[in-house]
């Protein structure tokens, strides 16, 4: 979770261009307006016509500056039938997954290599403990939508496929072949799928 804040609010002044400290500098209170605390960015379904068949729309401090210092963020996840929000983790946050419509298999893997999962329907919630790898997979036959909630203004995303096989610069081939105990042709296929 994020550290405790020292004031009621600290709306980010200019998250994309300001120098990054731990969080973002605050806008002067005299220029804070109601819209700083409002975010309409999750009102539309995301485009699930992607290779994973899923779309994540992020409501974190970068898109919703009023979240600065509050230790909260909210995403919208849309998943087409058979689509997946692929394995990833959030280094700074636990995650609540609240299904609005459709049916999602939601799962995470613990540090004891145990897999915990559940099929969720509308109105149901699963919790992903901080930092653990997880996914959402649409096991129904209509588009599924979930709202995900975080106890961080900027949870961070560590994507398993992109982190391992799309890292820039590339992770040395020997590290990947030895890590996965396969030959380099298998790693090359995975790398070419994810931009390396
Ligand atoms: C879903 O796992 C999300 O990170 O929004
Ligand atoms: Mn997540």
């Amino acid at each position: 979770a994020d550290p405790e804040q020292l004031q009621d609010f600290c709306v980010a002044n200019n998250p994309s261009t300001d120098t990054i400290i731990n969080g973002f500098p605050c806008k002067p209170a005299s220029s804070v307006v109601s819209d700083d605390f409002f975010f309409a960015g999750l009102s539309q379904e995301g485009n699930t016509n992607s290779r994973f068949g899923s779309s994540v729309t992020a409501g974190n401090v970068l898109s919703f500056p009023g979240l600065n210092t509050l230790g909260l963020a909210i995403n919208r996840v849309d998943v087409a039938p058979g689509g997946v929000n692929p394995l990833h983790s959030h280094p700074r946050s636990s995650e609540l997954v609240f299904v609005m419509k459709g049916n999602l298999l939601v799962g995470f893997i613990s540090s004891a290599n145990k897999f915990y999962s559940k099929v969720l329907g509308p109105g149901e919630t699963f919790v992903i403990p901080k930092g653990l790898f997880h996914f959402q997979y649409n096991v129904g036959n209509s588009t599924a939508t979930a709202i995900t909630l975080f106890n961080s203004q900027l949870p961070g995303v560590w994507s398993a496929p992109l982190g391992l096989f799309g890292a820039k610069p590339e992770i040395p081939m020997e590290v990947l072949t030895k890590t996965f105990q396969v030959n380099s042709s298998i790693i090359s296929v995975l790398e070419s799928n994810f931009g390396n």
Side-chain angles (χ1 to χ4, degrees):
D2 292 348
E4 293 255 356
Q5 56 170 21
L6 302 176
Q7 56 275 310
D8 279 356
F9 56 80
C10 170
V11 175
N13 198 19
N14 209 337
S16 57
T17 58
D18 278 340
T19 305
I20 294 177
I21 52 170
N22 191 18
F24 296 99
C26 315
K27 228 176 165 177
S30 58
S31 62
V32 171
V33 295
S34 299
D35 273 347
D36 286 323
F37 304 105
F38 173 75
F39 183 62
L42 308 184
S43 59
Q44 305 291 326
E45 185 173 301
N47 178 14
T48 60
N49 190 12
S50 61
R51 63 171 154 178
F52 294 118
S54 66
S55 165
V56 177
T57 310
N60 58 43
V61 68
L62 301 179
S63 51
F64 186 0
L67 294 178
N68 197 33
T69 76
L70 297 183
L72 292 168
I74 180 169
N75 287 352
R76 173 178 178 147
V77 182
D78 296 295
V79 191
V84 68
N85 179 19
L87 278 163
H88 65 279
S89 75
H90 306 288
R92 293 182 290 278
S93 186
S94 297
E95 172 180 327
L96 286 167
V97 182
F98 176 77
V99 174
M100 306 277 296
K101 68 180 174 87
N103 290 96
L104 288 173
L105 171 68
V106 182
F108 68 85
I109 305 100
S110 76
S111 60
N113 301 325
K114 217 174 147 186
F115 175 51
Y116 297 88
S117 70
K118 186 89 184 164
V119 174
L120 272 67
E124 298 180 335
T125 305
F126 205 61
V127 63
I128 315 290
K130 180 176 175 172
L132 301 185
F133 274 94
H134 60 280
F135 64 86
Q136 293 98 17
Y137 177 57
N138 187 342
V139 292
N141 39 39
S142 60
T143 299
T145 300
I147 293 296
T148 52
L149 301 163
F150 302 88
N151 58 333
S152 168
Q153 66 177 31
L154 194 59
V157 182
W158 201 104
S159 157
L162 292 172
L164 291 166
F165 304 112
K168 302 275 186 300
E170 290 180 24
I171 299 169
M173 181 57 89
E174 297 68 36
V175 173
L176 292 174
T177 56
K178 288 176 183 177
T179 295
F180 291 104
Q181 300 284 293
V182 294
N183 62 43
S184 59
S185 61
I186 292 176
I187 299 294
S188 295
V189 171
L190 290 164
E191 287 189 329
S192 68
N193 277 348
F194 299 105
N196 273 343

